[in-house]
Amino acid sequence: MTTRTTTMTTFETLIEELGQILEIPLKAEKETVCKISVGGAIDVQIEQRDGVISIASFLAELPPGAFREEALIQALKFNHDEQNKEVFSYISKKQTLALEVTLPESVSAGELSTSLKRLIETGTLWKDAIDLGNLTAVTKQASSGLISPIHLQP
């Protein structure tokens, strides 16, 4: 039988510090995962794995058809832009568009906060566009500026 120590891992400390920056209580689950619901719009998972910190969100289902093809073309264009740190991927088994950014394990809470906010901004814009069936907003997406106050929930 193993006993869990009361010492926090580096990831747990990072998540706690992120919570302080965002002014919401955050805790790591199973020492390597933190899930956040963003105002009911999207869910984000922060995870420590294989020497990196990953921030990811499964944004929306994209059923087969012309709209999915156009959404994936726009996602590829987004991925090709070197200014964008986030990367879109398509999970064919779930027919879902996902957005992820990976950071080094040594990332500071401040840098994690900036990357999280940027992923939330991009993810929310894309999810809304997909839900509305209109990709105009994402084809004109600006790469600068962070979102204004967001409604995060642990």
Side-chain angles (χ1 to χ4, degrees):
M1 175 151 93
T2 59
T3 307
R4 178 157 162 41
T5 63
T6 58
T7 308
M8 289 176 52
T9 66
T10 304
F11 181 76
E12 288 172 309
T13 302
L14 178 65
I15 294 301
E16 188 174 278
E17 291 171 0
L18 175 64
Q20 290 170 0
I21 292 169
L22 299 175
E23 298 179 348
I24 60 170
L26 292 177
K27 297 282 183 200
E29 300 172 15
K30 299 179 184 178
E31 299 180 13
T32 60
V33 176
C34 178
K35 296 179 181 177
I36 304 170
S37 177
V38 183
I42 65 172
D43 294 324
V44 177
Q45 180 170 301
I46 304 170
E47 180 179 14
Q48 179 184 30
R49 61 176 162 74
D50 302 326
V52 298
I53 302 294
S54 167
I55 309 170
S57 181
F58 296 100
L59 300 176
E61 185 177 331
L62 288 172
F67 183 77
R68 175 172 77 184
E69 290 175 19
E70 182 59 28
L72 294 177
I73 288 169
Q74 293 306 319
L76 286 172
K77 288 178 182 178
F78 179 93
N79 288 352
H80 185 70
D81 186 338
E82 292 178 10
Q83 293 180 2
N84 297 323
K85 308 273 189 266
E86 305 85 2
V87 176
F88 281 103
S89 60
Y90 179 71
I91 316 306
S92 58
K93 194 172 190 177
K94 295 182 178 187
Q95 297 185 21
T96 300
L97 186 66
L99 183 62
E100 179 181 26
V101 62
T102 55
L103 305 164
E105 265 183 327
S106 59
V107 68
S108 71
E111 293 166 328
L112 181 59
S113 172
T114 299
S115 293
L116 173 64
K117 289 176 183 178
R118 190 173 157 113
L119 182 129
I120 290 168
E121 177 184 52
T122 301
T124 301
L125 178 69
W126 277 73
K127 182 176 182 348
D128 290 347
I130 291 167
D131 288 348
L132 293 172
N134 183 349
L135 298 173
T136 304
V138 299
T139 59
K140 298 178 182 177
Q141 181 180 21
S143 62
S144 64
L146 295 176
I147 57 176
S148 56
I150 51 180
H151 303 287
L152 299 175
Q153 300 167 355

